[in-house]
Amino acid sequence: MKALQYRTIGSAPEVVTVPDPEPGPGEVLLKVTAAGVCHSDIAVMEWPAEGFPYQLPMTLGHEGAGTVAALGAGVTGLAEGDPVAVYGPWGCGLCAKCAEGKENYCLVARERGINPPGLGAPGAMAEYLVVDSPRHLTPIDGLDPAEVVPLTDAGLTPYHAVKRSLHQLVPGSTAVVIGTGGLGHVAIQLLRVLTPARVIAMDVSEEKLELARTVGADETVLSDAQAAGRVRELTDGLGAQVVLDFVGAEPTVRTAAGSVGVEGDITIVGIAGAGLPVGFGLLPFEVSVAAPYWGTRGELIEVLDLARAGAVSVHTERFSLDEAPDAYARLHEGRVNGRAVVLPGG
Ligand code: NAD
Ligand code: ZN
């Protein structure tokens, strides 16, 4: 089958032919219908050889959807042809966190070498994908896989981030979304549907801010050194109750710190690597700062239910598997608006 692989450190991903995979006992083989292109893959492909955590070559794609093509020995509850989305942050299924559905925080995944598809295990940018357990599949009957596949990360991750701060987002409150790309433009919609908060969106490009307005941002602010000042102006000097940073770089964490109000929440989702010092006098009183990872199995079901209800929709740009390297190049250059989705079926 064809697959998009990251093959050598520092090189662009390539479409290659690899052996067709077969599901082992307990596993499920999917014929991939859609796979999402995430900025995290670009970050991974910029990591140096020293300490690189995954084996290469590696098939990319940690947002996946497909139809069941074959069941490994012992798998029940699914039938050939069932349309499903893949829950990506695979855990052991047995530890205390997994028992709560928080496989994203599995206590033993790292030591046991359990990796998400596309981030260690073979990913969804291929004609077929092996999923390690039916536990990691959610039915998507009635939904368009290309439209919902980004929800498995670009929806689930902001959903988890917004949920942590729901108690803050009362009437009259303000939420700031920094970076209105794949994750950010879904975050704006989630804030609109889950809370009465006013949403201020920030990005570096006017095109991205246009999309932010289209999906429901009340205000848009160009992300520059004055951006935090603009948020203070828009909030009568008080600052925002919640700031979600979907970039996580030095300038954006500084903007987050300058935008947040007393007792507010800063959630750094972007993995550009900047830190934000927390200590007395460094931030407004009692601000809490968190850097979460992905979301829970239950939350994925909730996000897909929001899609079913028509409450969130992903702005997608579609590519064939042969065009997938171009999708990554465009994302790297900031030329994808919304989410790029690869359709291995053509
Ligand atoms: P994306 O490229 O689609 O979106 C990023 C957006 O940020 C773009 O619109 C870009 O124009 C904007 N941007 C860049 N620099 C900016 C700045 N200085 N100020 C304001 N906006 C700026 O990326 P994505 O796929 O949505 O991912 C966003 C981030 O979240 C990435 O760092 C990704 O690796 C990370 N991520 C984290 C998790 C997690 O679990 N923590 C999960 C998925 C993605
Ligand atoms: Zn991702």
Side-chain angles (χ1 to χ4, degrees):
M1 66 167 184
K2 275 201 252 183
L4 180 78
Q5 289 198 326
Y6 179 47
R7 297 181 62 81
T8 48
I9 299 286
S11 64
E14 287 170 60
V15 179
V16 295
T17 300
V18 299
D20 286 357
E22 276 178 34
E27 297 179 336
V28 179
L29 181 72
L30 300 185
K31 183 166 175 44
V32 178
T33 46
V37 181
C38 181
H39 212 117
S40 297
D41 293 337
I42 289 173
V44 166
M45 291 187 280
E46 285 172 350
W47 288 345
E50 202 187 314
F52 190 83
Y54 312 130
Q55 252 190 330
L56 296 183
M58 174 174 82
T59 299
L60 293 169
H62 56 269
E63 288 180 348
T67 50
V68 173
L71 300 176
V75 177
T76 55
L78 285 167
E80 227 174 279
D82 284 354
V84 289
V86 180
Y87 174 79
W90 296 351
C92 71
L94 292 173
C95 74
K97 295 294 175 197
C98 285
E100 286 186 79
K102 297 178 180 169
E103 298 205 23
N104 50 324
Y105 297 146
C106 174
L107 300 172
V108 299
R110 185 181 296 242
E111 76 190 52
R112 296 213 192 140
I114 302 171
N115 287 309
L119 295 167
M125 297 266 167
E127 291 174 85
Y128 290 92
L129 168 70
V130 171
V131 175
D132 68 340
S133 164
R135 192 175 78 240
H136 296 140
L137 297 172
T138 305
I140 55 165
D141 346 29
L143 296 170
D144 176 349
E147 276 170 29
V148 299
V149 74
L151 295 176
T152 61
D153 180 12
L156 176 55
T157 302
Y159 185 77
H160 183 77
V162 168
K163 260 194 135 177
R164 139 179 150 82
S165 297
L166 279 181
H167 62 288
Q168 299 268 21
L169 297 168
V170 296
S173 65
T174 299
V176 175
V177 172
I178 305 177
T180 67
L183 274 67
H185 92 287
V186 181
I188 294 166
Q189 299 177 57
L190 292 169
L191 286 162
R192 293 315 304 254
V193 65
L194 298 174
T195 84
R198 179 171 57 152
V199 179
I200 303 176
M202 273 183 208
D203 206 296
V204 288
S205 102
E206 189 43 48
E207 202 189 351
K208 305 282 170 77
L209 292 179
E210 176 71 46
L211 177 62
R213 282 189 291 273
T214 308
V215 297
D218 298 285
E219 306 278 350
T220 53
V221 171
L222 207 57
S223 182
D224 57 18
Q226 283 76 51
R230 281 291 293 141
V231 173
R232 296 250 156 222
E233 277 169 31
L234 290 165
T235 54
D236 298 326
L238 299 177
Q241 279 68 29
V242 173
V243 182
L244 304 169
D245 181 354
F246 293 101
V247 182
E250 279 303 333
T252 60
V253 301
R254 267 201 306 277
T255 296
S259 301
V260 75
V262 168
E263 282 194 288
D265 289 348
I266 296 176
T267 302
I268 302 173
V269 177
I271 65 169
L276 182 56
V278 178
F280 196 84
L282 298 177
L283 292 168
F285 293 128
E286 213 175 318
V287 163
S288 98
V289 180
Y293 171 62
W294 226 325
T296 73
R297 281 175 55 206
E299 286 167 343
L300 177 58
I301 292 170
E302 292 167 27
V303 171
L304 290 168
D305 278 339
L306 283 175
R308 268 192 196 95
V312 291
S313 68
V314 183
H315 188 282
T316 58
E317 294 189 10
R318 300 175 188 203
F319 299 83
S320 68
L321 191 50
D322 287 326
E323 293 165 340
D326 185 42
Y328 277 96
R330 291 175 66 95
L331 183 64
H332 191 40
E333 292 157 11
R335 291 195 291 125
V336 171
N337 213 4
R339 195 64 151 182
V341 172
V342 171
L343 306 175

